[in-house]
């Protein structure tokens, strides 16, 4: 059961294949991955923004835009490696066809992950551009520096989606994933309000969620707030550890399902 290497020409070929298919479905894909977070940004940014003047020393728009950038990437990466990957694996049997070639399972899975991270970046950049036009990015340079971090984090969220796919027997299973994983991150990761507004025990749970760490990095950079190197390393390191563990678990489960 070989996991490494992950990034090979075969891995990139899997990613390229997904891109070719996506080009034919680009407009419908844009609705889910871009329009949805933009609508929520508009609703919360302008809706709550008229009720809340400033939050943590910045305008509410400047507070919520970095959180929505992070969430758009999280949702896009997660959706691709759950609904998208499961369709290719279970319904279309694309994975069976791919594995009949020299492509290994780890290369196939990481190719899926890379494509999901690329789609996540498209969503995040779209929200960043609109947020900047609406005055929600005080430090554009800082927001641009956040993009590589968002890409790395998106790889992790794609891996979490693959874990769900590795357990799924049908599409209904993903109701658990989105209800008990994505929705809590959307609500309790500091996207719309500071974590110190939460009860202590809820705040402790929030810090276990990887999206909380991503929001902290993106918001600090986007509003030009200094982020200590130790805190940055802690946030990033936590996300990397969870990502590696999630990919290993997804690989092990899929190996059992497909070969054992």
């Amino acid at each position: 059961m070989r996991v490494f290497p992950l990034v090979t020409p075969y891995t990139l070929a899997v990613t390229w294949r997904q891109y070719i298919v996506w080009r034919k479905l680009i407009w419908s894909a844009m609705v889910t991955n871009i329009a949805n977070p933009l609508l929520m940004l508009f609703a919360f940014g302008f809706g709550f923004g008229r009720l809340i003047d400033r939050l943590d020393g910045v305008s509410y728009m400047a507070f919520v835009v970095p959180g929505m950038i992070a969430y758009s990437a999280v949702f896009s990466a997660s959706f691709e490696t759950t609904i998208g990957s499961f369709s290719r694996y279970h319904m279309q049997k694309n994975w069976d066809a791919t594995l009949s070639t020299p492509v290994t399972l780890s290369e196939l899975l990481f190719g899926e992950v890379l494509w999901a991270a690329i789609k996540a970046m498209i969503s995040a950049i779209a929200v960043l551009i609109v947020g900047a036009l609406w005055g929600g990015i005080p430090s554009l340079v800082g927001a641009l520096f956040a993009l590589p971090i968002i890409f790395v984090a998106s790889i992790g969220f794609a891996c979490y989606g693959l874990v769900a796919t590795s357990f799924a027997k049908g599409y209904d299973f993903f109701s658990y994933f989105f209800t008990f994983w994505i929705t809590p991150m959307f609500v309790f990761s500091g996207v719309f309000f500071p974590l110190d507004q939460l009860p202590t025990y809820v705040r402790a749970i929030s810090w276990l969620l990887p999206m909380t760490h991503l929001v902290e990095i993106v918001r600090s950079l986007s509003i030009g707030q200094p982020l200590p190197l130790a805190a940055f390393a802690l946030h990033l390191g936590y996300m990397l550890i969870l990502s590696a563990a999630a990919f290993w678990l997804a690989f092990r489960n899929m190996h059992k399902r497909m070969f054992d």
Side-chain angles (χ1 to χ4, degrees), residues 75-88:
F75 181 83
S76 181
S78 301
F79 189 89
E80 182 62 26
T81 52
T82 51
I83 305 300
S85 293
F86 185 75
S87 296
R88 290 186 285 272

Side-chain angles (χ1 to χ4, degrees), residues 10-139:
Y10 293 130
T11 305
L12 301 180
V14 171
T15 303
W16 181 253
R17 183 265 175 196
Q18 315 301 27
Y19 165 71
I20 292 174
V21 174
W22 175 77
R23 284 191 309 181
K24 301 178 181 179
L25 307 169
I26 183 171
W27 298 116
S28 60
M30 289 294 186
V31 171
T32 300
N33 296 317
I34 295 180
N36 184 44
L38 287 180
L39 286 172
M40 285 191 288
L41 174 61
F42 182 84
F44 285 98
F46 285 106
F48 284 168
R50 294 184 181 278
L51 302 175
I52 304 172
D53 183 24
R54 300 183 71 79
L55 199 60
D56 278 4
V58 297
S59 68
Y60 187 70
M61 182 65 79
F63 182 87
V64 78
V65 166
M68 287 305 303
I69 292 173
Y71 172 72
S72 66
V74 169
F75 181 83
S76 181
S78 301
F79 189 89
E80 182 62 26
T81 52
T82 51
I83 305 300
S85 293
F86 185 75
S87 296
R88 290 186 285 272
Y89 158 63
H90 185 70
M91 300 295 293
Q92 301 168 2
K93 304 299 182 182
N94 175 264
W95 286 16
D96 291 323
T98 301
L99 292 174
S100 67
T101 71
V103 178
T104 65
L105 179 60
S106 61
E107 291 167 334
L108 169 61
L109 294 179
F110 203 70
E112 293 272 348
V113 166
L114 282 180
W115 172 239
I118 291 171
K119 288 189 70 175
M121 291 303 297
I122 295 173
S123 298
I125 291 172
V127 175
L128 190 157
I129 291 172
V130 174
L133 293 175
W134 288 348
I137 304 290
S139 175

